[in-house]
Amino acid sequence: MAIIGNIIKGVIQIKDTLTPESNPVENQKEVLKFLLETAKHTAFGKHYNFETLLNHKDYQSAFSKTIPYFDYNKINTEWWYRLHNNEKDITWPGNPDYFALSSGTTGKTSKRIPVTKDMIESIRNSGIQQVFALNAFDLPPDFFEKEIMMLGSSTDLIEKEDHYEGEISGISASNIPFWFRGYYKPGEQISKIDDWDERIQKIAENAKKWDIGALSGIPSWLELMLKKVIAYHNAKNIHEIWPNLQVYTTGGIAFQPYKKSFNALLEHPITIIDTYLASEGFIAFQARPETTSMQLVTDNGIYFEFVPFKPEYILEDGSLTADAPSITLANVKPDTDYVLIISTVSGAWRYIIGDTIMFTDVNRAEIKITGRTKFFLNTVGSQLSVNKMNDAMMYLEEKFGMKIPEFTICAKEFEDGFYHCWYLGTENTTQDTTKIAEAIDNFLKDVNKNYAVARSKALRGLKVKLTNPETFYNWNARNKKKGGQVKMERVMNEEKFKVWEDFVKSEETI
């Protein structure tokens, strides 16, 4: 009998029963008030006169009218650079203890995003909220006695004079509560190994020593790890190694494109729970099994705003026009794409995180990630979102019986006009690309009227090439993104696409 598991599950059930129902809209008002009050004496707070904003009856509206939008480059150039020079009280009291390194999707150098003590506490509290939400998933008591494999970037952080630097997954793992460390795998020693291949080799060698009940990490790298473990032990699937594996929590990337290839590594289905942890904070998690949507964490140090995702508000680099209107949680509508804007306890203010989301349940503040502002393909008016691209890939998987965990696309101009050039990552590289291109084209015409209009005018057609998924993994490894929190480059500009095509050719000649 799972005695400890029954105790833990009982505590979770009692906590869930005693916790009053939350009001997301009221939570957000209190969060913004807390942010403004706490940061009013910082350089940023003085510059934008937070004291005056707090005295407004409608301080939410006053806040949005006073503070401009910031993407990383803007806030770093105007404010965060002073943190790098060891100045204090710039956008948040004190100095950050960590900087999360993130190369994003198109940047040539790493972004250095401040992570304060308050943000570490916020991430930890959101993680605890997610644990208590497991009560809704009706997991058996013995699940709560199993170990959890958390696959992220290295926890061997870079030590500077007064702070540490690393990817957010490594920072989070290095700050796990002491009571959790007995459950945490692969453990502190292996997690500090910086070299990805060496770390995965150690995981494979030790895999049978662990009783893994849950996995956590981004899908693409988790798949690579599972394949390595399976191959090392000459097993048919991962359940031969970890028979008690029951749950997988994803990490801020849509799981749907990976579903088919991931399930192929299992003996039987497991519970998939989506989470949304970015370099800027723990944003949302799936709180109930009836939906695959995630609930925004509205009471824990992050204030959200939403800009309608329309071409007239989006600049070429993915940032927003200065006059783009924002709305609060009280005014959002379901089934509408929004650009997500956040203000946080790390001193990010009206920050464009780069993701687009859609509300599936407004009252519960439940969302789905629909894409990236930079990954919105609007060449010749096609207005094609990553969400629709993902849908097209799932359609292909069913129609042609193939697995497509990775893809990228570029709108490229040829002598006779523009074409959408697709590279699909699949092991079924002998499929007829002409038929695949026709299937994608017809599907997108049916589900996207703007695409259908573009195809009748300037968009001449599609070109499809197939390559092994390993090519995508090697591309990301070359760009130092392996194992970390990463948004895959679903859309490339022509310059980067040329580099990508040359890389594919070099990989296929090896």
Side-chain angles (χ1 to χ4, degrees), residues 440-483:
I440 297 174
D441 194 32
N442 290 335
F443 176 84
L444 292 176
K445 286 177 183 176
D446 289 340
V447 301
N448 188 331
K449 63 181 180 180
N450 292 307
Y451 176 85
V453 171
R455 279 290 286 115
S456 69
K457 295 181 179 179
L459 185 59
R460 301 293 296 173
L462 282 73
K463 297 178 183 290
V464 172
K465 293 186 179 180
L466 308 179
T467 189
N468 196 285
E470 289 288 337
T471 305
F472 287 81
Y473 304 148
N474 292 339
W475 166 265
N476 286 333
R478 191 189 75 167
N479 288 282
K480 300 183 185 296
K481 293 179 181 177
K482 219 165 191 178

Side-chain angles (χ1 to χ4, degrees), residues 396-407:
L396 291 184
E397 288 185 331
E398 292 301 317
K399 183 175 178 63
F400 293 96
M402 56 197 300
K403 292 178 286 188
I404 313 171
E406 304 293 348
F407 69 87

Side-chain angles (χ1 to χ4, degrees), residues 52-71:
T52 300
L53 295 182
L54 284 163
N55 290 328
H56 276 266
K57 183 176 180 181
D58 186 358
Y59 55 87
Q60 289 177 289
S61 177
F63 174 73
S64 64
K65 290 176 181 177
T66 303
I67 316 299
Y69 296 118
F70 288 92
D71 61 10

